[in-house]
Amino acid sequence: MATLNIRGKESWLVPILFILLLVFPLVLTRFYTYLLALIFVSGLAAMSLNLVLGYGGIYQFHHAVFYGVGAYGAALTITKLGYSPWIGFLVGPLLAAFISLVMGAICVRLSKLYFGMLQISLGSLVWAIVYRWYSFTGGDDGIHGVSMPDLIGSTTGSYYFTLLVTAACLIAMYLIVKSPFGSALQGIRDNPVRSEAVGVNVKLHQLVALVIAGFFAGVAGVLFIVVDNSAFPDMLFWTLSLEILIMCLLGGWLTFLGPMLGAAMMVALRTFASTFTEYWTLIQGIILMLVIIFLPEGVLGYVNAKFKQLGNLASGGKA
Amino acid sequence: MLRIEGIQKSFGGFMAVNGANLGVQKGEIVAVIGPNGAGKTTLFNLITGIIKPDGGRVIFKEEEITGLPAYRICKKGMSRSFQVVNIFSRLTVFENVQIAVLSRHGKTFNLFTPSRKLLIEETSDILQSVGLTDKGRSVSGSLSHGDQKALEIAIALGGHPELLILDEPTAGLSPEETIRCIDLIKRLSADLGLTILFCEHDMELVFAIANRIMVMVRGKSIIQGLPADVRCNREVQDAYLGESESGVCLA
Ligand SMILES: Nc1ncnc2c1ncn2[C@@H]1O[C@H](COP(=O)(O)OP(=O)(O)OP(=O)(O)O)[C@@H](O)[C@H]1O
Ligand SMILES: [Mg+2]
């Protein structure tokens, strides 16, 4: 499926990219280091969505909820309950996975668009709780100045921590995608009826996939705290879910790394376009429209197809 | 091995299956025939749990399985192919069959062993038996119709069933492909000892391989018997040839 995979011809790209990412903070300004870390965070959130969207064919429209819950879970554990940040970092993803289990168990009975609609409603409920519960969550002010361990307190420290955790998550997700569970999930995406007929309990597999995706989204939420030291209700507002969804479509929802690429494009676009114009969402909309019309499988999907064509030409074969 | 008693299903008031009976003994090849819209596919859907019956019973290996979900019925040793090609179209041919094999071995919740290392031999054997070895790495959605029909059967075989149910396995196949398909069905029955239930419009094929035949008309099973008996049955001739020509034997 994904041509740019770790065992493909382009496998040398991965270690080189990783080494580049390791030296970047030595040459980049703090702002760009921060920006890169933000790309990893958004990219991880988008990739966790793509686990259920691209690989599972599940219309998870409100994925940001788990990102936000992960962030708040960590932030509140640290600030309100007074535990060490490292414990907070564990609580965040576990809480996100738990919320995902509860929401998933309710929504998974419905199919396709109905799933998506119910999921949006329940997600908005979680947002409303965070937004309204002023005394505990800080309401629309959010939580600021979450203190970090010294090791990861600086911009560079938080960058390296984010890089390593993101890399670890990508490896774990890659293994999952290539595992028998991943195969079954892609089978369900392509044909749920046939999956049932070969003995796969479709709803249960979908639920497990949702919990896994919720967990990794929660990790992304925690990493945001590490990078930004704050959490705010917009992190689980539906517009952010839309943005994460766009990252998947833009980068390529049928590829493994596509959503990360989509995140890089979106974060870069937002940062640079918004310095020139306040209408950056308009630019974003136009770019998305162009991509959907000309590259329906996203940028990485397009690149992969080109690579395949080149490979076929080179080997002189047809298909 | 399989017994169906008075099974019923209506779609919004229309009785698609209206009290059908059927028995399949271990090792047999049983054919279901009937005109278009007789309810054959619906009957197979009811047996395999794809849809739930309104009434009647399905008994498989002395156990009542009426209304169980499809994935549980499959686990009991019953697999099927579909009339309209129903495959995992974005996955490769190999992956299509492997999913069925993984599922049969209960490995689909395994999160960390790479699929490419699991049950490769069993999957390859199945591909070989249906003649798709060369196409293993092709994306299944891009195959010819004939190959997709072969893949249909291969996926069903991945469940390593005791009872194999085939819904019009030769629909849309060329004459050569049809001959290969007949060969395959005979081999599966003779070599692997599979019990096979299938439905077909091609009478020649039906009389060539079926041990017993059940005839369905307008949702009802009107007779089940040996090919010779079915061939000369009055009601069957009426259903197929119209009243005027009755008196001759079919096929
Ligand atoms: N899901 C459904 N909803 C409504 N009507 C249905 C449904 N499935 C089947 N039917 C109707 O039930 C009747 C029996 O259909 P079925 O597909 O079982 O016939 P069949 O014997 O398999 O026909 P064919 O030989 O054409 O495959 C048909 O009239 C069909 O229109
Ligand atoms: Mg039919």
Side-chain angles (χ1 to χ4, degrees):
Chain A
M1 169 137 308
T3 313
L4 274 174
N5 65 31
I6 294 174
R7 298 189 313 120
K9 265 175 288 183
E10 303 82 11
S11 54
W12 50 271
L13 277 175
V14 175
I16 289 187
L17 189 66
F18 192 72
I19 291 170
L20 277 180
L21 291 175
L22 279 178
V23 294
F24 268 156
L26 307 178
V27 292
L28 294 180
T29 63
R30 270 181 55 185
F31 174 70
Y32 283 102
T33 307
Y34 167 83
L35 209 60
L36 259 182
L38 218 50
I39 288 176
F40 302 152
V41 173
S42 312
L44 181 58
M47 288 185 70
S48 70
L49 168 62
N50 206 44
L51 220 47
V52 283
L53 179 78
Y55 288 95
I58 303 171
Y59 292 179
Q60 174 107 298
F61 288 151
H62 205 339
H63 193 63
V65 167
F66 311 109
Y67 174 66
V69 165
Y72 270 94
L76 292 173
T77 307
I78 300 165
T79 57
K80 290 277 170 179
L81 306 179
Y83 286 101
S84 111
W86 301 109
I87 293 182
F89 294 171
L90 284 180
V91 170
L94 291 177
L95 189 63
F98 176 73
I99 299 284
S100 183
L101 175 69
V102 174
M103 271 173 71
I106 297 170
C107 296
V108 85
R109 294 155 210 282
L110 304 182
S111 55
K112 298 280 161 187
L113 282 175
Y114 297 102
F115 174 98
M117 280 149 70
L118 186 57
Q119 208 255 327
I120 289 190
S121 332
L122 292 179
S124 303
L125 202 67
V126 178
W127 170 80
I129 292 172
V130 171
Y131 192 76
R132 295 274 169 191
W133 194 1
Y134 220 97
S135 57
F136 190 57
T137 63
D140 55 355
D141 293 338
I143 303 165
H144 296 276
V146 182
S147 58
M148 287 294 121
D150 290 341
L151 187 64
I152 60 174
S154 67
T155 307
T156 344
S158 69
Y159 172 88
Y160 282 120
F161 185 71
T162 307
L163 175 64
L164 292 182
V165 174
T166 304
C169 288
L170 293 205
I171 291 170
M173 285 198 266
Y174 188 79
L175 289 177
I176 291 171
V177 163
K178 295 292 173 186
S179 74
F181 178 77
S183 304
L185 197 60
Q186 293 171 65
I188 292 170
R189 170 198 64 201
D190 280 6
N191 195 334
V193 173
R194 189 62 191 246
S195 298
E196 287 262 336
V198 300
V200 174
N201 183 345
V202 169
K203 305 276 181 225
L204 191 58
H205 283 74
Q206 287 178 327
L207 185 58
V208 171
L210 287 167
V211 171
I212 294 172
F215 178 85
F216 284 116
V219 175
V222 166
L223 292 180
F224 184 81
I225 300 274
V226 171
V227 174
D228 205 77
N229 301 349
S230 58
F232 35 87
D234 273 1
M235 290 181 76
L236 22 80
F237 198 53
W238 65 269
T239 50
L240 185 65
S241 291
L242 188 64
E243 227 175 89
I244 296 175
L245 196 72
I246 292 175
M247 290 174 190
C248 293
L249 298 181
L250 202 62
W253 62 289
L254 289 173
T255 61
F256 182 68
L257 289 174
M260 182 60 84
L261 182 65
M265 291 162 66
M266 289 279 285
V267 173
L269 203 69
R270 181 173 54 208
T271 311
F272 300 117
S274 61
T275 57
F276 295 120
T277 160
E278 51 190 295
Y279 299 112
W280 87 271
T281 46
L282 190 72
I283 298 179
Q284 175 192 337
I286 292 172
I287 291 187
L288 182 69
M289 219 167 63
L290 292 176
V291 167
I292 285 176
I293 294 172
F294 293 105
L295 312 173
E297 297 207 336
V299 174
L300 196 54
Y302 175 78
V303 173
N304 274 345
K306 281 286 160 210
F307 259 103
K308 249 185 210 159
Q309 268 178 21
L310 285 178
N312 290 338
L313 283 181
S315 64
K318 287 174 290 197
Chain B
M1 169 171 266
L2 177 71
R3 203 164 74 242
I4 289 146
E5 295 169 356
I7 201 158
Q8 291 183 337
K9 179 74 192 179
S10 71
F11 294 111
F14 169 74
M15 297 296 284
V17 173
N18 189 3
N21 300 304
L22 173 69
V24 180
Q25 308 291 323
K26 196 168 171 50
E28 271 190 319
I29 303 183
V30 175
V32 174
I33 62 173
N36 283 104
K40 305 180 294 290
T41 299
T42 308
L43 177 67
F44 287 0
N45 284 342
L46 291 169
I47 298 173
T48 54
I50 303 284
I51 55 179
K52 308 242 171 296
D54 299 333
R57 306 204 309 152
V58 183
I59 291 136
F60 181 56
K61 294 193 293 186
E62 309 303 322
E63 185 188 352
E64 171 143 9
I65 58 165
T66 323
L68 287 186
Y71 69 90
R72 290 198 38 206
I73 292 181
C74 173
K75 292 259 143 97
K76 294 192 186 291
M78 185 195 294
S79 304
R80 69 171 295 183
S81 75
F82 289 77
Q83 176 177 356
V84 178
V85 170
N86 202 0
I87 56 180
F88 307 113
S89 55
R90 286 202 191 89
L91 305 185
T92 66
V93 169
F94 189 89
E95 289 167 335
N96 265 265
V97 178
Q98 195 188 23
I99 287 181
V101 177
L102 287 168
S103 162
R104 164 177 126 71
H105 287 271
K107 293 215 186 292
T108 56
F109 282 113
N110 181 334
L111 281 175
F112 294 110
T113 326
S115 291
R116 70 190 153 83
K117 289 194 179 149
L118 283 172
L119 302 166
I120 299 307
E121 236 172 274
E122 189 172 338
T123 308
S124 308
D125 287 349
I126 293 170
L127 284 181
Q128 172 146 35
S129 70
V130 302
L132 283 176
T133 305
D134 298 343
K135 309 234 163 67
R137 291 166 67 92
S138 311
V139 174
S140 65
S142 67
L143 294 183
S144 70
H145 177 73
D147 286 338
Q148 288 186 344
K149 285 298 268 191
L151 179 57
E152 266 295 328
I153 299 180
I155 296 172
L157 290 175
H160 207 291
E162 294 167 63
L163 172 65
L164 178 65
I165 300 181
L166 305 171
D167 194 350
E168 301 202 21
T170 70
L173 294 190
S174 70
E176 303 88 75
E177 288 169 337
T178 304
I179 290 171
R180 250 187 288 147
C181 181
I182 296 175
D183 266 0
L184 173 64
I185 295 175
K186 282 183 174 162
R187 255 190 299 134
L188 292 174
S189 166
D191 300 351
L192 301 180
L194 287 190
T195 310
I196 296 174
L197 171 67
F198 75 108
C199 77
E200 255 308 332
H201 281 291
D202 183 339
M203 285 302 150
E204 234 174 288
L205 190 158
V206 169
F207 285 104
I209 62 178
N211 305 125
R212 288 195 302 141
I213 297 174
M214 187 268 246
V215 184
M216 243 182 130
V217 178
R218 281 189 292 277
K220 288 195 168 64
S221 50
I222 56 176
I223 180 180
Q224 177 171 6
L226 299 173
D229 301 337
V230 169
R231 202 185 288 234
C232 297
N233 178 281
R234 264 306 280 270
E235 280 183 90
V236 177
Q237 288 162 4
D238 288 351
Y240 267 87
L241 305 168
E243 308 275 339
S244 57
E245 286 188 56
S246 49
V248 281
C249 290
L250 268 178

